[in-house]
């Protein structure tokens, strides 16, 4: 009986991830998640107390947190706790040894270094793609998530990557606006190959492209865009 309850909670969590990713927080209704999970609205309330609690459950799911020990029905712990779980997951997957080494004083990064950094980004985004898709759709509705996404993630790494590109070109100083933009565009190359490519329709798929090929081409393009922007 307990196993059945655990499976049902996982099904509800998956349905919540799907609905919040597709529609955002405001548009998603409890009835939408119940319908997607194949349960009645009454059954849904046996597992969560509110839409806010349901969103927290979705965050737990995409962040790989265990659900079997949760006290049910799950109550809303507050947005601060929900954001902290996501931030902890970011810290777990954001491993940047090549980037950190390239930023160190005296380091002399080159094209291969940039490609390695692109590979680190690729692996991180591919691993965390469901969590990122969910956050991308909901961040504007939750200021705390928007701050985590824009300041704590995108702009910070963008500027670090631009700085390494400048070093790879044998130049010093702070990256200018054009190079920071190039770093943002280079990140998008990796993001498409690591994440968004996997959601393409059959008509848009690239024949013969496998995971290894996508990663290799994306990381090489990442390095090329950055070096071109430096004039190297």
């Amino acid at each position: 009986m307990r196993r059945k309850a655990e499976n049902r909670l996982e099904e509800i969590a998956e349905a919540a991830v799907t609905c919040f990713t597709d529609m955002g927080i405001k548009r998603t209704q409890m009835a939408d998640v119940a319908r997607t999970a194949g349960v009645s609205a009454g059954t849904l309330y046996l597992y969560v107390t509110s839409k806010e609690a349901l969103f927290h459950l979705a965050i737990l799911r995409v962040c790989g947190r265990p659900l079997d020990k949760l006290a049910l029905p799950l109550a809303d712990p507050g947005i601060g706790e929900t954001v902290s779980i996501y931030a902890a997951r970011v810290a777990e997957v954001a491993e940047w040894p090549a980037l950190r080494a390239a930023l160190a004083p005296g380091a002399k990064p080159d094209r291969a270094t940039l490609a390695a950094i692109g590979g680190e980004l690729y692996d991180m985004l591919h691993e965390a793609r469901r969590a990122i898709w969910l956050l991308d759709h909901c961040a504007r509705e939750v200021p705390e998530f928007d701050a985590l996404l824009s300041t704590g993630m995108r702009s910070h790494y963008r500027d670090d990557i631009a700085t390494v590109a400048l070093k790879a070109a044998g130049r010093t100083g702070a990256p200018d606006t054009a190079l920071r933009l190039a770093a943002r565009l280079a990140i998008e190359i990796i993001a498409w190959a690591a994440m968004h490519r996997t959601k393409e329709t059959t008509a848009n798929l690239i024949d013969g492209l496998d995971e290894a090929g996508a990663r290799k081409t994306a990381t090489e393009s990442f390095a090329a865009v950055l070096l071109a922007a430096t004039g190297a």
Side-chain angles (χ1 to χ4, degrees), residues 173-203:
D176 61 16
T177 299
L179 183 52
R180 293 167 67 207
L181 173 59
R184 186 71 181 89
L185 295 174
I187 289 170
E188 286 303 312
I189 290 173
I190 298 292
W192 181 86
M195 298 169 46
H196 306 307
R197 172 183 59 85
T198 65
K199 297 180 76 172
E200 290 275 55
T201 63
T202 302

Side-chain angles (χ1 to χ4, degrees), residues 43-88:
T43 297
L44 191 61
Y45 280 101
L46 297 176
Y47 292 88
V48 294
T49 60
S50 63
K51 184 166 77 169
E52 291 75 19
L54 196 56
F55 181 67
H56 185 74
L57 180 64
I59 292 295
L60 289 172
R61 185 64 170 176
V62 297
C63 290
R65 298 302 188 251
L67 307 181
D68 58 326
K69 303 300 184 183
L70 294 176
L72 302 178
L74 180 66
D76 173 24
I79 194 62
E81 176 64 18
T82 305
V83 173
S84 71
I85 288 171
Y86 196 99

Side-chain angles (χ1 to χ4, degrees), residues 134-157:
L134 176 60
L135 185 58
D136 274 347
H137 206 119
C138 297
R140 292 183 181 180
E141 301 179 47
V142 182
E144 296 88 345
F145 270 120
D146 191 43
L148 176 64
L149 181 64
S150 60
T151 304
M153 295 168 64
R154 284 179 175 161
S155 63
H156 176 68
Y157 295 132

Side-chain angles (χ1 to χ4, degrees), residues 81-116:
E81 176 64 18
T82 305
V83 173
S84 71
I85 288 171
Y86 196 99
R89 181 57 177 161
V90 170
E92 290 169 2
V93 301
E95 297 182 4
W96 294 87
L99 178 60
R100 289 198 304 273
L103 288 167
K108 296 181 179 179
D110 55 15
R111 190 186 193 96
T113 305
L114 292 174

